[in-house]
Amino acid sequence: MQTIGLIGGMSWESSAAYYEALNVGVEKRLGGLSSARTIMWSVDFAEVTALQEQERWDDVAAILVAAAQGLERAGADFLLLCTTTFHRVADQVEAAVAIPVLHLADVVAEAVKAQGLDSVGFIGTTFAMSRSFFTDRLASHGLTVHVPDERHHAAINRVIYDELVHGKVLDASRRTVVGLIEELWDAGAGGLILGCTELELLVHQADSELPVFPGTTLHVAAALDRALD
């Protein structure tokens, strides 16, 4: 079994979801008392979020590069960034280490294409929806990517940052997000990418008539495939 390096803390709820899913996945695949070989470097979410808001991306990259290099020195065989938003600096992180970075967008795009879809909706943080770093990576796989209208971005961000990162899962917020899924369907999306780990706490396949692609779940499955190959 290879050792999975996790760059976490963005948010800790997201990191906890990754850690749990990796260990549950290994137990299911190998049985008995088996668990995942992981090393986690958890950063301060407040610090990197403040830098993000100030557009100080070189400083964000420096923090995540230090984490990646620390994980590499500790014996990680490959890395996961346990976040969507901070994939903004994934290329810089990958360039700073000699081990692979399993990019979330590549994993999700392959899952979408495996279901024969070429058009998909994407919901995440305002930053991930309004900037092109993640949707362009998805589009590089031949996908057309739809995001909610800008007027909805603040509401989604509020649900993520004011509720889900604190473990609050509210039915009213679920209804809000499900309404946006229907708008994306009307716009031509054939499936829905949950592009934020915390959103997987709120929205499930039963809530949508479109195929749902939960980014973290798919990321974990791809990591397990690599670690156990």
Side-chain angles (χ1 to χ4, degrees):
M1 187 191 306
Q2 291 189 341
T3 299
I4 305 167
L6 303 171
I7 303 177
M10 301 166 284
S11 66
W12 72 260
E13 286 279 347
S14 170
S15 305
Y18 267 88
Y19 182 77
E20 180 179 11
L22 285 166
N23 282 288
V24 169
V26 169
E27 183 181 13
K28 286 182 177 178
R29 294 190 188 202
L30 300 183
L33 299 176
S34 299
S35 58
R37 290 181 180 168
T38 63
I39 310 168
M40 182 180 290
W41 189 299
S42 189
V43 304
D44 180 1
F45 194 31
E47 180 183 15
V48 294
T49 298
L51 292 171
Q52 171 210 330
E53 290 171 349
Q54 296 168 44
E55 298 286 348
R56 292 170 57 185
W57 285 105
D58 287 343
D59 293 328
V60 172
I63 291 170
L64 300 191
V65 162
Q69 291 173 337
L71 291 167
E72 183 178 29
R73 289 193 300 269
D77 293 298
F78 64 95
L79 300 175
L80 304 183
L81 282 165
C82 303
T83 169
T84 302
T85 297
F86 294 96
H87 269 77
R88 166 69 173 72
V89 296
D91 290 344
Q92 290 158 273
V93 172
E94 187 168 29
V97 292
I99 57 177
V101 175
L102 191 59
H103 198 292
L104 175 60
D106 296 340
V107 169
V108 175
E110 289 304 319
V112 172
K113 291 170 62 180
Q115 290 204 23
L117 301 177
D118 58 12
S119 180
V120 69
F122 174 81
I123 294 180
T125 63
T126 292
F127 188 84
M129 291 186 293
S130 62
R131 306 296 179 92
S132 64
F133 69 96
F134 202 81
T135 54
D136 281 353
R137 184 85 174 217
L138 293 169
S140 73
H141 292 266
L143 298 175
T144 299
V145 185
H146 304 271
V147 297
D149 188 273
E150 187 175 351
R151 71 182 187 278
H152 299 306
H153 290 190
I156 300 171
N157 232 41
R158 178 188 57 76
V159 169
I160 293 169
Y161 284 103
D162 293 350
E163 298 171 14
L164 297 175
V165 300
H166 302 293
K168 298 177 183 178
V169 181
L170 305 180
D171 286 338
S173 296
R174 180 178 293 107
R175 288 192 293 272
T176 296
V177 175
V178 168
L180 297 180
I181 296 171
E182 293 173 356
E183 287 192 20
L184 292 170
W185 190 3
D186 291 342
L192 175 74
I193 295 171
L194 297 178
C196 177
T197 305
E198 290 84 4
L199 285 172
E200 295 182 38
L201 303 172
L202 184 70
V203 178
H204 308 282
Q205 184 59 69
D207 299 310
S208 170
E209 293 187 56
L210 290 177
V212 173
F213 297 91
T216 296
T217 299
L218 294 168
H219 210 192
V220 165
L224 292 174
D225 289 344
R226 179 184 287 264
L228 299 175
D229 185 23

